[in-house]
Amino acid sequence: MPKLPKYKKIYKFSDSGLLIKMIRVINNKEDNFTNFTYDSKGNLSLLEYIRLGYVQYKMEYEHDSFGNLTKLVHSEDDSHGNEQFVIKSESIYSYQHEDKLIRNDNYKFKDGAKIHRSTTMYEYEKIGEITKVKHSMKDLRTQSEYILWKSYDKFSNPIENYSYQNEKIHPHSMKYVYEYDNQNIWIRRERTTMDDVLTLLTERKIEY
């Protein structure tokens, strides 16, 4: 039986605790890199995915005066190394008050045309340190609607992600349990089904 490849991710952080680089290692060889750039306020402004010696795609972020993400643009280098980036998708985010996301509009680009593909509306419920969010998504092409519930802990990491299908919990629904370091960054994460069957265990080493 052939050996399965061994995967590892290495995370590097700035002195201020911002993630600046992620290295993916396969069988002890570095396979790809992700670089993260921030603006003067510490907001993520650029993500670059590098593999085979060039930036294959990038994500550009814009924020409002409160630090909320307002626009996300995904571009890919269709020239395979000549830095001729083509926009593939764009997301616009709208907020209520200072930080409550209430709407997300997603667009795709095809043959230079910008196509409005979907809209998601958000409703919130605060229960102690847990925030529960209802996502009501509508595909504007098919007019189909889908509702997803997510719950987050006090560090804004997801602890539940579930939906219903035929009045039953969807089989792809899941829960997460975290272990944090003294910087409140998770170093161990367990992913389970909604009935507590472990499906994935992730551990990571943080360099500061």
Side-chain angles (χ1 to χ4, degrees), residues 25 28 31 36 47 51 57 87 92 133 152 163 169 198:
V25 179
N28 297 317
D31 180 75
F36 304 85
L47 179 154
R51 190 170 185 270
Y57 70 81
I87 296 177
I92 303 296
V133 186
Y152 299 85
S163 61
I169 294 264
L198 182 65

Side-chain angles (χ1 to χ4, degrees), residues 29-100:
K29 293 184 179 180
E30 295 180 350
D31 180 75
N32 60 70
F33 310 84
T34 305
N35 291 330
F36 304 85
T37 303
Y38 300 84
D39 62 22
S40 59
K41 296 182 179 179
N43 299 311
L44 180 63
S45 58
L46 177 65
L47 179 154
E48 295 177 304
Y49 174 80
I50 303 166
R51 190 170 185 270
L52 302 177
Y54 70 95
V55 178
Q56 297 197 355
Y57 70 81
K58 63 182 179 180
M59 312 286 282
E60 297 173 275
Y61 304 79
E62 294 182 13
H63 300 79
D64 61 19
S65 59
F66 299 108
N68 300 312
L69 177 64
T70 57
K71 185 177 182 179
L72 171 59
V73 178
H74 171 84
S75 305
E76 297 179 5
D77 184 359
D78 286 352
S79 65
H80 304 289
N82 291 322
E83 298 186 355
Q84 296 178 12
F85 287 94
V86 177
I87 296 177
K88 300 295 184 178
S89 65
E90 180 180 293
S91 296
I92 303 296
Y93 303 87
S94 303
Y95 297 82
Q96 184 180 56
H97 306 305
E98 293 184 2
D99 60 357
K100 186 168 288 186

